[in-house]
Amino acid sequence: MNKQNDSFKIPDNYFKDFEERLSKKISVESMSSKSKTISLINKKKIKYTYFIAASLLLFLGISYFFKTNQKDFDNNDELLAVFIDDAYIDEYLDNYLIDSLNED
Amino acid sequence: LKKEKHLLKLLKKDSSSEKAFKLLLELYQEQLYWHIRKIVLIHEDSNDILQNTFIKAFKYLGNFKGNSSIKTWMYRIAYNESIDYLNNKKKHLQISSQELNNKILQDLQEDIYFEGDAIELLLQKALLSLPNKQRTVFRMRYYDDLKFKEIAEVLKTSEGSLKASYHIAAKKIAAFVTNDPNLLT
């Protein structure tokens, strides 16, 4: 057993109350470690949500880009077709005019 | 020894671990408190360290293999916690070991839970003047009444060197106390 001398004192009922104080501290510690785990899980959840949202936005962006560009390509073809037709008509008209002038 | 083995079994079982931990607390809280108190001297510090000691024991009980007795395992945790506490205090205050010892002595005189006279203070001063190992062995043998074999298990060192350290410490303390000029007046 420990040799205690009279010089060192302790508060009344110190050992009687110690268990209660300790169990409170242990429950607080385990609570804080639990909340740490929960916050870690939440952080992971947030990260996954951001990742999924970012992927979705990227997918939508790419789809939109292709759709828009497809329209542009279609429009270009139409414009080109019109341009070719006009050029052909102009050339035809020019040739016709030249032929008729020659005939005159 | 049988009781210890039984207690260990109860501690490792989920259904009985809580009750067994209470038993552990009842068995060792007082011994460990005085062990810690004789190292750090101040009651409030001892209270914090004792709580940390049992929290650590509660946390790491699953890792305890039973190579030593529960008693020496608990003493080892308490001792390590006390030393860590003092080292952290030294770091926090950015002071040397000697300055920390002076501060402990000063705090002790102001501690409301210390009612020692000049001789008691002189004994504490003599203890603080010793090298760490000699001081620890002397405290464990003299105050805690631990056997050299148990001290060797706590400090993980040989019994022979502990015995030598204890005798040197006792001689130094005697010399320190008898040579103090204030004692003669």
Side-chain angles (χ1 to χ4, degrees):
Chain A
M1 258 299 142
N2 303 54
K3 275 192 196 82
Q4 296 116 40
N5 57 41
D6 294 336
S7 308
F8 290 91
K9 306 283 178 191
I10 47 169
D12 295 335
N13 297 324
Y14 172 72
F15 293 116
K16 219 177 168 184
D17 302 337
F18 182 76
E19 188 186 324
E20 201 183 320
R21 278 181 282 122
L22 182 71
S23 54
K24 269 183 195 169
K25 203 168 178 182
I26 285 176
S27 64
V28 168
E29 285 246 334
S30 56
M31 282 276 278
S32 72
S33 66
K34 259 185 195 174
S35 66
K36 266 181 197 168
T37 318
I38 289 167
S39 73
L40 268 174
I41 291 167
N42 283 344
K43 269 184 190 172
K44 272 190 179 176
K45 269 186 186 173
I46 290 166
K47 271 185 186 174
Y48 279 125
T49 316
Y50 274 130
F51 177 74
I52 290 164
S55 309
L56 201 68
L57 276 172
L58 190 69
F59 173 74
L60 287 171
I62 290 167
S63 310
Y64 181 74
F65 173 78
F66 274 114
K67 269 194 177 178
T68 322
N69 283 342
Q70 191 62 46
K71 263 187 187 174
D72 285 348
F73 292 145
D74 292 347
N75 288 343
N76 282 344
D77 286 351
E78 279 169 23
L79 282 169
L80 198 66
V82 170
F83 176 75
I84 290 166
D85 284 352
D86 281 353
Y88 177 77
I89 290 163
D90 284 347
E91 197 186 340
Y92 175 79
L93 284 174
D94 285 347
N95 289 338
Y96 176 77
L97 279 171
I98 291 164
D99 285 346
S100 32
L101 280 171
N102 287 338
E103 273 176 18
D104 287 340
Chain B
L1 199 71
K2 264 187 183 177
K3 274 184 188 174
E4 277 237 345
K5 277 186 179 172
H6 187 63
L7 180 63
L8 189 61
K9 269 186 186 174
L10 292 174
L11 282 166
K12 296 249 177 182
K13 247 186 189 175
D14 277 351
S15 56
S16 58
S17 64
E18 208 179 312
K19 275 187 181 176
F21 191 75
K22 276 187 180 178
L23 194 67
L24 189 79
L25 200 67
E26 274 174 33
L27 273 172
Y28 296 119
Q29 63 170 350
E30 208 170 330
Q31 291 181 45
L32 292 176
Y33 171 82
W34 288 112
H35 171 65
I36 295 163
R37 181 79 185 264
K38 290 296 186 304
I39 298 173
V40 297
L41 302 179
I42 311 298
H43 166 71
E44 288 303 328
D45 294 349
S46 311
N47 177 46
D48 287 346
I49 297 166
L50 186 66
Q51 285 192 16
N52 291 343
T53 300
F54 277 101
I55 288 170
K56 274 232 167 125
F58 183 75
K59 265 186 187 172
Y60 297 107
L61 210 56
N63 299 350
F64 179 61
K65 289 167 190 165
N67 294 335
S68 61
S69 68
I70 296 178
K71 185 184 171 182
T72 50
W73 183 65
M74 292 295 297
Y75 263 89
R76 188 153 63 236
I77 298 173
Y79 173 73
N80 289 338
E81 282 295 310
S82 307
I83 299 301
D84 282 351
Y85 186 89
L86 291 176
N87 284 338
N88 286 338
K89 203 171 184 176
K90 203 165 68 177
K91 235 184 224 174
H92 178 70
L93 297 170
Q94 293 182 323
I95 52 175
S96 67
S97 299
Q98 186 55 48
E99 284 169 328
L100 180 70
N101 288 343
N102 293 339
K103 187 175 169 22
I104 290 171
L105 275 175
Q106 197 187 329
D107 291 347
L108 181 66
Q109 290 174 70
E110 290 162 9
D111 190 2
I112 54 165
Y113 298 111
F114 179 72
E115 293 175 1
D117 52 15
I119 294 172
E120 180 63 46
L121 264 176
L122 188 64
L123 176 64
Q124 295 307 324
K125 210 174 171 181
L127 275 166
L128 286 169
S129 73
L130 295 174
N132 200 20
K133 191 182 176 185
Q134 290 171 15
R135 182 166 62 215
T136 307
V137 178
F138 186 83
R139 278 171 176 158
M140 285 177 152
R141 182 78 190 114
Y142 181 75
Y143 287 119
D144 302 334
D145 247 357
L146 291 177
K147 293 169 189 156
F148 280 114
K149 196 185 167 191
E150 288 175 319
I151 302 172
E153 272 181 30
V154 174
L155 301 177
K156 291 186 173 174
T157 184
S158 72
E159 273 184 69
S161 74
L162 288 178
K163 280 178 187 170
S165 294
Y166 177 77
H167 289 295
I168 295 167
K171 273 186 183 175
K172 277 186 184 174
I173 290 168
F176 189 95
V177 172
T178 48
N179 291 334
D180 187 77
N182 297 325
L183 198 69
L184 302 170
T185 54

